[in-house]
């Protein structure tokens, strides 16, 4: 769970994860938070990586993947620390990881009523179509942060997970596809934030469109990364 200044929600989200998924290990990566995110997550029972600087979601996730690789975890599921992701969908993601290397919890795949409009919607459609062709799979939500990774993807992401804006979503999928990882999606429903401040607002929609295109161009231009030794199936 990457978290930046999420003291309002992170404790209840960690508690919900443990209630929905008995026996699971929960890691919160506090990404240079300046509030009590790390302390509250720890008090709720999570393991905590407390980064001294804010690296962005991509940097926080790379730290999480390095932790998972070092400690021998087979699967990693990313859940937002703001309460928007329902942990009850995790078993379905894990089931899909038995046959795929990366599984996306897709908001536009027939479940829930999550809606986007304007430039942000157009950008998401362009990204979905382009990444689907690269991955040779039908993907409708390439910017979802609710996703799972199996052993091959964990090894790849621990070494190379992109830290740039949208790299943690779009570029990571292109990277995985170029490394010949199998990518699938399952439908999930989104919920309102349980606290904190959203990272986007309508005024930034046009900026999002430009950045999304740039992120895709960068991802396509970069050469394929080889899977680290020992990560191949």
């Amino acid at each position: 769970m990457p978290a930046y200044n999420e003291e309002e929600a992170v404790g209840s989200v960690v508690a919900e994860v443990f209630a929905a998924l008995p026996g699971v290990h929960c890691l919160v990566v506090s990404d240079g938070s300046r509030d009590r995110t790390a302390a509250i997550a720890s008090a709720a029972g999570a393991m905590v990586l407390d980064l001294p600087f804010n690296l962005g979601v991509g940097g926080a996730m790379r730290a999480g993947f390095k932790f998972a690789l070092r400690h021998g975890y087979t699967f990693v599921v990313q859940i937002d620390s703001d309460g928007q992701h329902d942990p009850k969908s995790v078993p379905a993601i894990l089931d899909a990881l038995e046959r795929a290397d990366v599984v996306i919890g897709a908001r536009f795949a027939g479940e829930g009523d999550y809606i986007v409009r304007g430039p942000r919607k157009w950008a998401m459609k362009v990204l979905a179509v382009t990444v689907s062709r690269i991955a040779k799979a039908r993907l409708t939500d390439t910017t979802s942060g609710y996703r799972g990774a199996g052993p091959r993807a964990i090894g790849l992401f621990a070494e190379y997970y992109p830290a740039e804006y949208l790299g943690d979503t779009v570029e990571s999928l292109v990277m995985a596809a170029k490394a010949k990882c199998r990518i699938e999606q399952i439908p999930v429903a989104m919920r309102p934030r349980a606290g904190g401040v959203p990272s986007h607002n309508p005024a930034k929609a046009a900026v999002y469109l430009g950045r999304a295109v740039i992120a895709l161009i960068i991802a396509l231009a970069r050469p394929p990364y080889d899977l680290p030794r020992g990560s191949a199936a």
Side-chain angles (χ1 to χ4, degrees):
M1 289 170 50
Y4 176 63
N5 294 341
E6 292 287 0
E7 64 177 11
E8 294 181 25
V10 68
S12 61
V13 175
V14 170
E16 185 181 15
V17 166
F18 286 135
L21 307 164
V24 75
H25 292 181
C26 180
L27 174 70
V28 172
V29 183
S30 179
D31 186 22
S33 297
R34 292 172 289 182
D35 62 3
R36 300 181 61 245
T37 292
I40 291 173
S42 180
M47 299 176 290
V48 176
L49 286 180
D50 194 5
L51 305 184
F53 305 105
N54 178 251
L55 301 178
V57 178
M61 285 305 301
R62 188 188 293 189
F65 283 119
K66 285 182 178 293
F67 180 94
L69 185 65
R70 181 173 299 175
H71 293 276
Y73 289 95
T74 304
F75 300 119
V76 168
V77 178
Q78 176 184 348
I79 293 181
D80 282 354
S81 56
D82 59 13
Q84 288 188 296
H85 297 157
D86 188 344
K88 292 179 181 178
S89 296
V90 168
I93 291 176
L94 293 175
D95 286 345
L97 283 172
E98 294 292 341
R99 59 181 181 272
D101 300 301
V102 177
V103 176
I104 304 168
R107 298 164 288 183
F108 314 114
E111 186 170 320
D113 54 2
Y114 184 77
I115 297 173
V116 292
R117 297 182 175 86
R120 191 175 175 87
K121 179 180 180 179
W122 307 332
M124 287 181 169
K125 284 190 174 182
V126 170
L127 294 171
V129 170
T130 306
V131 177
S132 292
R133 290 177 179 174
I134 298 168
K136 297 180 175 58
R138 185 176 182 275
L139 306 175
T140 59
D141 189 9
T142 56
T143 63
S144 171
Y146 197 179
R147 55 179 65 186
R152 299 173 78 239
I154 290 172
L156 179 70
F157 291 156
E159 189 71 23
Y160 302 116
Y161 203 75
E164 299 86 355
Y165 180 77
L166 287 176
D168 60 294
T169 53
V170 176
E171 188 177 349
S172 66
L173 293 178
V174 175
M175 173 191 297
K178 286 184 174 182
K180 302 188 184 308
C181 289
R182 182 173 178 177
I183 303 172
E184 291 188 10
Q185 70 175 28
I186 65 165
V188 299
M190 287 283 284
R191 305 184 299 192
R193 291 178 63 93
V197 179
S199 58
H200 300 290
N201 60 56
K204 296 181 179 179
V207 176
Y208 178 92
L209 174 59
R211 287 181 171 180
V213 173
I214 292 171
L216 182 58
I217 292 172
I218 291 173
L220 294 174
R222 285 182 175 171
Y225 292 99
D226 293 329
L227 284 168
R229 185 174 299 177
S231 297

